[in-house]
Amino acid sequence: MTQHRLSLATAADTLAAIPALLGHTPENSVVAITLADNGNGSHLVATTARIDAEQAEAGADNVVTPLSRHTVAGRPVTAAILAAIADTTHAGAALIGLDAIRDAFTARGIRTIRALHTYSLTAGTTFTDLDRFTDGTIPDPATTELAAARTAAGGVIATSRADIEARFAPTAKIPESLALAAAATMGADFLPVTFDELAAVIHAREIPSADLTARVGLALATGHAEVRDAFMAMHIHGDADAADAFTRIAAPLRGTARANALTIVAYFLYCTGDGAAACAALEAAERTAHRADLTLPRLAGLLSAALAAGMEPAQVQGIGRVITPDYVADHIGAVQSYT
């Protein structure tokens, strides 16, 4: 679930913008784009969400309820654009789901100003306007203004949701002995030095070393929520850069350390507005906890509930913003380079 401020002109432009709005190219899905009236006769995008075609009819209310609560600069959602993006096998379910979502919006006083269907979001593919009974072709989604802006900001548009999920796949396990040896040598300096080094790496947009990764993993493996939460203070170096660093850190970790690292990744991704990636990170955390027979971090459950409820990224950001230097010093140690 993502939020952007931009205007959409035509049906073709709308469909071409969907990959950049979502952060990936959806397949066999129903996409809902909610709009707020900007007060001068045009609309601004409030939120974009996707649901699997086969789940769209049954999940219509679950999709629409949170979407209908969003605003843009205080202006409520008043309209929606719906798109069924589904091949011949899934088109029937997608179109039925689209109608169910349309009805759910109507019941909340939100009108659907455009309903579209296409088999895929690739350049040159034909689409149909379901209400106007007109056809058209989709321009190249990679060349849209929004795609260019997302790329310029360091964002990635995945070719599919599977590509997003692949970001959070585990890699070769890092030896815990690496971190244990460092802890034995560093003593009381272990946590504060590790925290400071990670802050410097994120600030410089560098790749965490194997040694640093192992040390962060050992800190997270303790299961102490206070230590995990302190790492969320890395937001001061940029949510996107922090998410990238913790994604790399989570990959070679296992068990409690990996579940906590992925939860932190999900938090930072949520703050950037990348709901699809945040959801994928949380699902990876859930799989990790299940396979290791561990209790899922409570924060992961809270973030999942926030996503399901459609909580806006700005509200979720407040979780980390209360983690002050004093909090970090109390739970990590005397941090020298926090800012």
Side-chain angles (χ1 to χ4, degrees), residues 3 56 60 90 121 135 141 172 174 197 204-206 214 237 299 338:
Q3 188 174 70
H90 298 86
L121 292 177
D135 296 329
I174 198 163
E197 288 184 12
R205 296 181 177 177
E206 297 174 346
H237 301 292
L299 178 59
Y338 174 65

Side-chain angles (χ1 to χ4, degrees), residues 21-329:
L21 285 168
L22 288 175
H24 69 283
T25 302
E27 298 175 340
N28 299 321
S29 306
V30 178
V31 173
I33 304 172
T34 58
L35 307 168
D37 192 327
N38 70 356
N40 63 8
S42 60
H43 293 92
L44 295 173
V45 171
T47 307
T48 307
R50 182 209 70 88
I51 187 171
D52 288 344
E54 301 296 335
Q55 300 174 8
E57 181 182 15
D61 279 331
N62 291 335
V63 171
V64 171
T65 298
L67 292 182
S68 62
R69 297 172 180 159
H70 283 261
T71 62
V72 177
R75 297 182 180 276
V77 166
T78 58
I81 297 173
L82 303 180
I85 302 149
D87 58 28
T88 54
T89 301
H90 298 86
L95 293 171
I96 291 172
L98 183 150
D99 284 338
I101 292 172
R102 185 205 295 257
D103 290 342
F105 272 125
T106 300
R108 291 163 175 79
I110 298 171
R111 62 192 181 95
T112 297
I113 61 174
R114 189 175 289 146
L116 308 168
H117 171 252
T118 184
Y119 295 112
S120 68
L121 292 177
T122 54
T125 301
T126 300
F127 70 85
T128 300
D129 187 313
L130 300 172
D131 295 331
R132 296 172 177 81
F133 305 106
T134 56
D135 296 329
T137 56
I138 300 173
D140 187 355
T143 63
T144 65
E145 181 179 347
L146 182 58
R150 188 180 183 110
T151 301
V156 176
I157 302 175
T159 56
S160 68
R161 196 175 191 284
D163 287 343
I164 295 178
E165 294 169 351
R167 297 181 201 168
F168 309 111
T171 58
K173 182 180 178 180
I174 198 163
E176 191 177 56
S177 58
L178 190 64
L180 291 172
T185 301
M186 299 168 70
D189 290 333
F190 177 80
L191 275 177
V193 169
T194 297
F195 187 90
D196 276 358
E197 288 184 12
L198 179 59
V201 164
I202 294 174
H203 184 74
R205 296 181 177 177
E206 297 174 346
I207 296 175
S209 66
D211 173 70
L212 179 58
T213 296
R215 283 188 279 134
V216 173
L218 184 59
L220 293 175
T222 64
H224 293 307
E226 297 88 350
V227 173
R228 179 205 62 209
D229 293 348
F231 279 112
M232 292 164 61
M234 296 295 171
H235 70 80
I236 65 170
H237 301 292
D239 290 315
D241 292 330
D244 181 67
F246 273 96
T247 298
R248 295 176 184 276
I249 287 169
L253 302 181
R254 297 294 185 270
T256 299
R258 175 170 165 79
N260 275 317
L262 287 167
T263 298
I264 294 172
V265 172
Y267 167 73
F268 286 127
L269 288 170
Y270 201 142
C271 291
T272 67
D274 195 339
C279 183
L282 289 169
E283 289 172 353
E286 291 171 3
R287 288 193 298 272
T288 297
H290 177 73
R291 290 169 182 169
D293 195 22
L294 300 168
T295 300
L296 185 70
R298 185 167 180 270
L299 178 59
L302 293 173
L303 290 173
S304 292
L307 278 168
M311 186 178 291
E312 296 183 22
Q315 295 174 287
V316 175
Q317 286 173 342
I319 298 173
R321 301 320 187 244
V322 300
I323 300 174
T324 64
D326 286 341
Y327 181 99
V328 174

